[in-house]
Amino acid sequence: MGLFGKKEVCPVCGKKVKGDVLIRIKDNISLCQACSARVNMDVALLPQQTAEDIRRHLEYRDQNQEKVDSFENTWSERVGVFTVCMDGNKKMWYCTKNKKDKNPPILSYDEVVSAVYLEDDEPAEEEEKKGVFGSLFGGKKEAKTLHSMKIHVELSNPYTRTLELEAVPVNGEVRTGSMSYKSNRKALDKVMEMMNTILRDREQAEPAPACELQQGDSAEAGSASEE
């Protein structure tokens, strides 16, 4: 593009793209700052999005704002810089690290596919709860330094596929057994308990497989024909 060449135009709103480019979508096309500020999806999804995809996403974000406005916080927990809030009545929840975020992505309970607690990206053992006798004669675990304590959540939401609630600051570390470790673990355990409750409720609400229903129907039909 020459010095006096035509400036790039945002494919979503038609306005000229000025200043630093915040978001690029499919075919390396740039969005203007105003449209970029409204987008909220996993970064890995952006290179696949067309202008029409972004328009649909912004409509989705407007609908999300309506959910935010009606959200009633019935449970919340702080994990590192993240805040997790639940609306138990509407079975909705969100996770944000920006207290000033006026439109955090609202997720439904049934969008939670799985959740796992990880230490240094490895599944961690459940905390041992020993009594006095156990603490005296059960030995003491060797302390180790961790650089990550987090909950990894897999989702079925079209724009938010994963969430990672990290308790350890970037480039930080924590020693197992320390007060910081225990505080982080307590908060993470509370969130994991809530995630497990959501997953159990989802399993109970899922309908029986079609094959089982067909077998049941055929059995009833057989008994009716015998009569």
Side-chain angles (χ1 to χ4, degrees):
M1 185 182 292
L3 182 61
F4 301 101
K6 187 177 180 180
K7 287 190 176 180
E8 195 171 2
V9 173
C10 178
V12 177
C13 67
K15 295 180 180 179
K16 291 181 180 179
V17 177
K18 300 178 181 178
D20 295 332
V21 175
L22 298 181
I23 288 179
R24 293 184 187 273
I25 58 175
K26 192 173 183 178
D27 298 327
N28 206 31
I29 295 174
S30 305
L31 302 184
C32 69
Q33 289 185 339
C35 289
S36 294
R38 295 179 61 198
V39 172
N40 193 321
M41 70 171 71
D42 290 353
V43 175
L45 299 175
L46 290 172
Q48 309 163 23
Q49 307 299 306
T50 64
E52 185 58 34
D53 291 333
I54 295 297
R55 292 190 190 98
R56 284 195 293 268
H57 172 66
L58 295 184
E59 290 176 3
Y60 173 88
R61 293 290 295 150
D62 290 339
Q63 296 168 3
N64 188 83
Q65 183 65 67
E66 295 175 5
K67 294 180 181 178
V68 172
D69 294 340
S70 65
F71 192 93
E72 297 179 7
N73 189 4
T74 60
W75 182 94
S76 64
E77 185 63 42
R78 184 84 171 170
V79 175
V81 298
F82 297 93
T83 300
V84 183
C85 297
M86 304 279 180
D87 184 338
N89 299 320
K90 299 185 183 71
K91 294 191 174 183
M92 301 188 304
W93 67 288
Y94 70 85
C95 172
T96 182
K97 60 180 179 180
N98 182 1
K99 293 181 179 180
K100 297 181 180 180
D101 189 356
K102 296 182 180 180
N103 192 9
I106 300 295
L107 302 162
S108 64
Y109 281 12
D110 59 11
E111 287 178 316
V112 180
V113 176
S114 64
V116 60
Y117 171 62
L118 304 170
E119 291 184 355
D120 284 349
D121 292 324
E122 294 291 337
E125 297 178 3
E126 186 178 350
E127 280 274 80
E128 292 184 8
K129 297 177 176 61
K130 296 182 178 179
V132 176
F133 185 85
S135 61
L136 289 174
F137 301 100
K140 196 172 184 180
K141 282 190 175 181
E142 183 180 352
K144 58 182 178 179
T145 300
L146 299 175
H147 297 90
S148 175
M149 297 175 66
K150 66 185 178 185
I151 294 175
H152 177 86
V153 185
E154 293 283 342
L155 301 159
S156 60
N157 183 275
Y159 301 113
T160 307
R161 303 288 177 79
T162 61
L163 280 176
E164 292 199 336
L165 283 67
E166 177 63 71
V168 181
V170 177
N171 299 323
E173 59 183 38
V174 62
R175 193 79 169 164
T176 58
S178 66
M179 291 300 295
S180 179
Y181 174 85
K182 292 177 180 178
S183 176
N184 288 341
R185 188 65 192 261
K186 184 178 180 181
L188 290 162
D189 281 348
K190 286 181 179 179
V191 175
M192 270 304 303
E193 184 177 352
M194 178 59 73
M195 289 295 157
N196 287 331
T197 299
I198 290 173
L199 289 167
R200 282 195 297 269
D201 289 346
R202 177 180 176 176
E203 289 176 359
Q204 293 171 0
E206 286 180 351
C211 60
E212 292 184 10
L213 292 174
Q214 290 173 359
Q215 289 174 359
D217 293 341
S218 61
E220 291 176 5
S223 61
S225 61
E226 289 175 3
E227 294 174 0

